[in-house]
Amino acid sequence: MRRWLALSSVLLVAGCATGPSLENQNAVTAAPGDSHHLTIGSAGFTESDLLAQMYALLLDRAGYKTSFLTVANRELYEPALESGQIDVVPEYAATFADWLNAKTNGADAAPVGSPDLDATMTALRRLAAPRGLSVLDAGRAVDQNAFAVSVAYARAHDLKTLSDLGASGLEVRLAAGDECVQRPYCEPGLRKTYGIDITGVDPKGVGTTQAKRAVQSGQDQLMLTTTTDATLDDFGLVLLADDKHLQNADYVVPVVNRSRAGSEGVTKALDKLNDVLTTADLASMNQQVDSWRRLARDVARAYLEEKGLLR
């Protein structure tokens, strides 16, 4: 049986403050725990809700009782994960590795996330273990930064990859967030890695409706979004492949509190998702929730039933 928990930020901070300090944790040597009632965390956006629902359904089927806690801020839910207020949360390998690295080594620490999944996972696990966290294996699904053009523009210039766009010599106006002009994966990376001639950045945000309409109309030619964007088709847009791997390895990974959810039973239950879940599957499920207004729990259950993981 599953239930949703509501908790204010004030209570969450208070609860997290009671957890063990990093210096006092013995997470690396402590035996993994196997609590039979697990709290699944969600970051409060559609994809995180879908992943949390799938985790809960798989754990329910494995004999666990699950509840939910939605906390839309990593600064709050990560300490809750350390303290055991949250037991399992869906994360993204490179982003979480860099976040833990900054928390451990300071905001100016060199990034440890990279396009190399193995190297990223090694760094992430090294940073997570002293905090009492275990990072389970990544599957095939990845939600990373991506760039889209209109279908008409892609056809007119025979574009399938970002390399194609660079080789075309076309001048490109890019719809993205303000930070794009400085981030290595955005304007600087597109210039250096792909040779794309970017004439300017239109500050319309990442994957926003305004950005999509600007590219659809031809006001801008390229936009920053994500690989699981659910509404590109609605605007006649298509992703260009990141064929030189500019973007970091933001594969979906479950992260668990080792002392409560580090058991083989939890790992086996959640690993089943790795055999089936793809980036395209996540995009499709996001679309069902965001565009078709279906409930995340219904979409998650239907997907797992279709894949034979629930009966």
Side-chain angles (χ1 to χ4, degrees):
M1 179 179 180
R2 289 174 287 124
R3 58 193 176 88
W4 285 93
L5 301 180
L7 193 65
S8 72
S9 296
V10 173
L11 286 175
L12 182 58
V13 171
C16 292
T18 65
S21 69
L22 180 59
E23 292 78 11
N24 294 328
Q25 288 175 340
N26 61 346
V28 176
T29 57
D34 194 23
S35 174
H36 291 288
H37 186 171
L38 300 174
T39 300
I40 316 300
S42 168
F45 58 93
T46 296
E47 188 169 294
S48 188
D49 288 344
L50 284 163
L51 289 164
Q53 289 283 353
M54 287 190 283
Y55 290 179
L57 288 164
L58 290 170
L59 289 167
D60 286 346
R61 190 175 187 279
Y64 295 89
K65 292 184 179 180
T66 58
S67 55
F68 290 87
L69 184 61
T70 299
V71 186
N73 186 314
R74 189 176 278 113
E75 284 75 11
L76 294 178
Y77 73 67
E78 188 279 330
L81 186 62
E82 288 188 33
S83 72
Q85 192 171 4
I86 293 173
D87 302 306
V88 184
V89 70
E91 261 294 354
Y92 301 92
T95 294
F96 196 46
D98 283 338
W99 194 88
L100 286 180
N101 187 42
K103 183 176 180 179
T104 302
N105 299 311
D108 295 330
V112 295
S114 75
D116 185 325
L117 177 60
D118 290 340
T120 296
M121 289 292 289
T122 297
L124 173 55
R125 284 171 167 152
R126 184 181 66 246
L127 290 159
R131 298 183 177 277
L133 307 180
S134 292
V135 182
L136 306 190
D137 289 342
R140 292 180 286 165
V142 57
D143 185 351
Q144 60 192 173
N145 295 304
F147 295 91
V149 297
S150 72
V151 171
Y153 187 81
R155 286 176 179 165
H157 301 287
D158 194 22
L159 305 177
K160 292 183 176 135
T161 69
L162 290 170
S163 287
D164 292 340
L165 182 56
S168 72
L170 293 165
E171 293 185 343
V172 171
R173 183 172 163 88
L174 171 63
D178 291 333
E179 70 281 1
C180 179
V181 296
Q182 297 177 328
R183 295 288 174 87
Y185 66 80
C186 203
E187 181 184 1
L190 292 175
R191 290 181 182 276
K192 181 178 179 180
T193 302
Y194 290 107
I196 297 173
D197 184 5
I198 298 173
T199 61
V201 173
D202 187 2
K204 284 186 163 56
V206 180
T208 63
T209 297
Q210 292 84 355
K212 289 170 183 170
R213 285 177 176 160
V215 175
Q216 182 185 41
S217 69
Q219 176 185 339
D220 299 329
Q221 290 73 48
L222 186 68
M223 66 165 285
L224 173 63
T225 183
T226 66
T227 51
T228 60
D229 191 321
T231 62
L232 291 176
D233 286 347
D234 297 341
F235 294 87
L237 306 180
V238 62
L239 294 180
L240 296 181
D242 179 21
D243 53 309
K244 292 185 179 178
H245 306 292
L246 171 64
Q247 303 304 323
N248 283 346
D250 262 329
Y251 285 76
V252 174
V253 290
V255 181
V256 305
N257 178 292
R258 179 180 169 84
S259 67
R260 289 183 49 83
S263 69
E264 185 178 359
V266 170
T267 299
K268 281 186 175 180
L270 297 182
D271 275 353
K272 291 179 180 179
L273 198 56
N274 290 345
D275 295 332
V276 299
L277 186 65
T278 66
T279 303
D281 292 340
L282 266 183
S284 175
M285 285 189 279
N286 285 338
Q287 182 181 37
Q288 291 176 57
V289 175
D290 291 337
S291 297
W292 305 355
R293 303 304 179 192
R294 295 185 62 192
L295 296 176
R297 64 175 176 267
D298 293 338
V299 173
R301 178 178 290 278
Y303 177 79
L304 294 179
E305 288 175 348
E306 176 191 347
K307 297 299 181 180
L309 299 182
L310 290 183
R311 293 188 180 91

